[in-house]
Amino acid sequence: TYSMTAQASRALSVGGICVAVALPDTPAAVRAVRPVLPDVDVVEIRLDAMQQPDIAGLCRQIERPLLFTNRAAWEGGACPHSEEERIEPLLAAVRCRAAFVDLELRADPSLRRRLLAEIRGTATRLIISHHDFAGTPDAKQLSAILQAQAQSGAHIGKIVTMAHDHLDVLRVLNLQGEARARNFPLIAFCM
């Protein structure tokens, strides 16, 4: 198992390279990511794309810090399961010493509390994410999202929006200054 290091955490918050893998099974995911491992800092496994993920196998076979995401359909993902079923693979990832797990800010707070309880005393870090596939909120709304993330108990925030012009991109980039002032690591970019 490749456990989380301070270097992996810094890589996510200061511009390291993360490759996302959304394939139907563990062997396909491992085959796809192996050629790029020398060039990436973190590998994101999209559990919502997998039919029967083998989390322990992924942790054993991919020698990079792993980020596990099981994105809900209501936030652009493909997970067809109930919220209770959706959280189970993320809890398993924590038990397998994954570097990161990602949960949506809009998810029921009880799910976040369960993940944080499982994480307590481990090196796993919780990323709390927000996605907007239609546009980029105004600066006040983005600041409110960042504040909610910082207050959520998560270790890292992630805000991804759809840019329609350069001003959208600038608003998202400006969040980095606010996040730094809060001493809260933030991943922020536009689609």
Side-chain angles (χ1 to χ4, degrees), residues 7-181:
Q7 180 181 7
S9 189
R10 277 194 312 276
L12 276 181
S13 60
V14 297
I17 297 174
C18 177
V19 62
V21 179
L23 291 166
D25 59 50
T26 298
V30 170
R31 277 192 309 275
V33 78
R34 278 220 170 110
V36 299
L37 284 181
D39 301 317
V40 301
D41 300 295
V42 176
V43 175
E44 178 182 12
I45 302 294
R46 288 295 303 261
L47 296 169
D48 52 306
M50 300 185 99
Q51 295 160 0
Q52 291 189 310
D54 174 8
I55 293 166
L58 288 161
C59 288
R60 272 192 317 275
Q61 296 177 63
I62 299 175
E63 294 184 354
R64 282 290 178 273
L66 296 181
L67 158 57
F68 285 92
T69 302
N70 200 12
R71 188 74 65 223
W74 47 261
E75 188 132 348
C79 183
H81 304 296
S82 72
E83 290 294 272
E84 287 300 315
E85 293 171 305
R86 187 171 76 86
I87 196 77
E88 289 303 321
L90 296 176
L91 293 166
V94 173
R95 290 188 288 273
C96 288
R97 296 182 285 181
F100 307 97
V101 291
D102 178 312
L103 185 69
E104 303 80 9
L105 178 62
R106 294 186 306 151
D108 188 298
S110 67
L111 299 177
R112 184 172 51 243
R113 286 190 296 272
R114 282 182 63 195
L115 268 175
L116 285 168
E118 191 75 31
I119 287 170
R120 193 171 295 118
T122 73
T124 302
R125 295 292 166 252
L126 175 61
I127 297 172
I128 200 79
S129 59
H130 171 85
H131 298 81
D132 186 330
F133 293 94
T136 299
D138 64 31
K140 185 176 179 180
Q141 290 172 306
L142 287 170
S143 183
I145 292 165
L146 177 61
Q147 180 178 349
Q149 290 178 331
Q151 294 173 346
S152 72
H155 305 100
I156 300 169
K158 178 181 174 189
I159 298 175
V160 181
T161 68
M162 178 62 71
H164 294 287
D165 62 33
H166 70 284
L167 296 176
D168 291 342
V169 175
L170 290 175
R171 279 197 311 281
V172 170
L173 287 176
N174 282 333
L175 285 173
Q176 291 298 344
E178 185 177 341
R180 176 167 281 152

